[in-house]
């Protein structure tokens, strides 16, 4: 049996923004070590993709489905683990065949539930899993040409303009061909639709994993006593208050600028005799007034938030103080 023509590997654009900013490296060498580890994981994942590409050249339809889903299963597990404590024994229990995240479907649902994958990803996973189940439950004469499998694959679609080709011509002397940003067409065969979806999800998970690995989950180092809760709340409150003060300053500056603009426009309106120009100036005044109204509303809302926050802080302090007194009274 001759190997089927493989679908060309694609680098899809991820819907998750690349959130790594250099402020994350403020902690020095320790932080850069985490970044290096993330890059090492990224390279390992790209090796998965290369291996998958080799399989596409030689494997049967059933083999392609099993290999692709096996790789996605591994990536889902690694992505989920970024949200857990790095306890080797615990991870082995949770992700073993009998663990709570032992099955492919369990991992997909968990990732979606905690916001690691989008609704679009979740639906794509469901379709690929449906295809895998159809291959798994048939022993003989099963392929992407099977009507039931072909019907499932017909519903596999990707977001518009979701990827960039692997090879993009950069030589200025050569006329550049138009980039095909939407690989799936109405007549795209089922096998290719499946592979395009696999490649898209692979890059989605890989990019998300790179971001999440930098946000390590750490074991709590202290008990959350009420005084500690209050202390942390106060820090957060002060930080929020500072941010609101900065925002308020920007809004006030914008408000002053808008009021000054309105005055200038009104002066122009007094001396302007051309009817069309007058109408245009009046329209501009209305637009600026609308922005002024928005700014004023923002300031009122921030005042209300400050009042509510101050009341809540006072209530918390009162409760904590009462509890501390009762604890002191109870000590032997």
């Amino acid at each position: 049996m001759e190997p089927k023509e493989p679908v060309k590997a694609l680098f899809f654009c991820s819907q998750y923004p690349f959130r790594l900013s250099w402020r994350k490296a403020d902690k020095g060498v320790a932080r850069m070590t985490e970044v290096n580890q993330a890059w090492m994981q990224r390279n390992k994942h790209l090796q998965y993709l290369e291996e998958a590409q080799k399989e596409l050249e030689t494997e049967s339809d059933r083999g392609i489905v099993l290999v692709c889903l096996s790789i996605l299963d591994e990536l889902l597990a690694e992505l989920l683990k970024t949200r857990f404590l790095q306890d080797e024994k615990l991870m082995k229990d949770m992700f073993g065949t009998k663990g709570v995240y032992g099955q492919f479907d369990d991992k997909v649902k968990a990732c979606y539930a905690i916001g690691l994958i989008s609704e679009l990803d979740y639906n794509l996973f469901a379709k690929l899993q449906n295809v895998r189940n159809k291959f798994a439950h048939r022993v003989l004469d099963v392929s992407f040409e099977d009507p039931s499998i072909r019907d499932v694959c017909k519903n596999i679609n990707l977001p518009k303009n979701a990827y960039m080709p692997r090879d993009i011509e950069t030589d200025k002397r050569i006329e550049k061909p138009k980039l095909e940003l939407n690989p799936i067409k109405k007549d795209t065969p089922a096998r290719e639709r499946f592979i395009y979806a696999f490649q898209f999800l692979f890059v989605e998970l890989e990019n998300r994993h790179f971001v999440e690995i930098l946000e390590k989950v750490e074991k709590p180092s202290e008990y959350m006593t009420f005084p500690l809760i209050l202390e942390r709340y106060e820090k957060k409150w002060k930080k929020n208050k500072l941010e609101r003060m900065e925002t308020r300053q920007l809004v006030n500056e914008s408000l002053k600028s808008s009021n000054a603009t309105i005055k200038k426009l009104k002066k122009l309106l007094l001396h302007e005799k051309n009817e069309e120009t007058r109408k245009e100036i009046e329209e501009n005044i209305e637009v600026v007034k609308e922005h002024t109204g928005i700014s004023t509303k923002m300031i009122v809302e921030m005042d209300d938030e400050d009042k509510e926050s101050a009341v809540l802080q006072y209530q918390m302090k009162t409760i904590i103080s009462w509890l501390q007194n009762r604890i002191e009274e109870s000590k032997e």
Side-chain angles (χ1 to χ4, degrees), residues 167-179:
D167 301 312
I168 300 176
E169 184 56 62
T170 57
D171 192 332
K172 294 181 180 179
R173 297 168 297 177
I174 299 174
E175 186 179 351
K176 296 172 180 58
K178 183 180 178 181
L179 294 177

Side-chain angles (χ1 to χ4, degrees), residues 14-16 42 45 68-69 71-80 82 104 107-108 111-112 116-118 121-122 125 198-212:
S14 175
Q15 62 187 294
Y16 298 109
R42 194 180 184 92
H45 295 164
C68 290
L69 269 292
I71 290 173
L72 292 179
D73 185 79
E74 181 68 22
L75 286 174
L76 284 166
E78 290 188 16
L79 180 57
L80 260 180
T82 62
F104 182 83
K107 297 182 186 78
V108 173
C111 282
Y112 179 54
L116 288 173
I117 61 175
S118 69
D121 299 333
Y122 181 73
F125 273 117
F198 158 71
Q199 291 169 333
F200 173 78
L201 289 172
F202 177 94
V203 177
E204 285 285 279
L205 295 178
E206 199 277 325
N207 285 345
R208 185 68 177 187
H209 180 271
F210 182 78
V211 171
E212 292 296 327

Side-chain angles (χ1 to χ4, degrees), residues 9-72:
L10 305 171
F11 286 131
F12 288 87
C13 298
S14 175
Q15 62 187 294
Y16 298 109
F18 195 76
R19 294 190 289 122
L20 174 61
S21 58
W22 288 112
R23 64 183 176 78
K24 288 185 177 293
D26 290 343
K27 292 182 181 178
V29 178
R31 194 60 188 169
M32 288 310 298
T33 301
E34 292 172 16
V35 174
N36 290 336
Q37 288 174 349
W39 274 111
M40 287 171 66
Q41 285 281 0
R42 194 180 184 92
N43 291 334
K44 175 181 146 187
H45 295 164
L46 290 177
Q47 288 175 9
Y48 289 166
L49 190 58
E50 288 175 9
E51 286 301 313
Q53 195 64 25
K54 292 176 187 175
E55 298 293 341
L56 297 181
E57 298 177 19
T58 58
E59 280 284 355
S60 64
D61 285 353
R62 191 197 302 273
I64 288 170
V65 171
L66 295 178
V67 168
C68 290
L69 269 292
S70 176
I71 290 173
L72 292 179

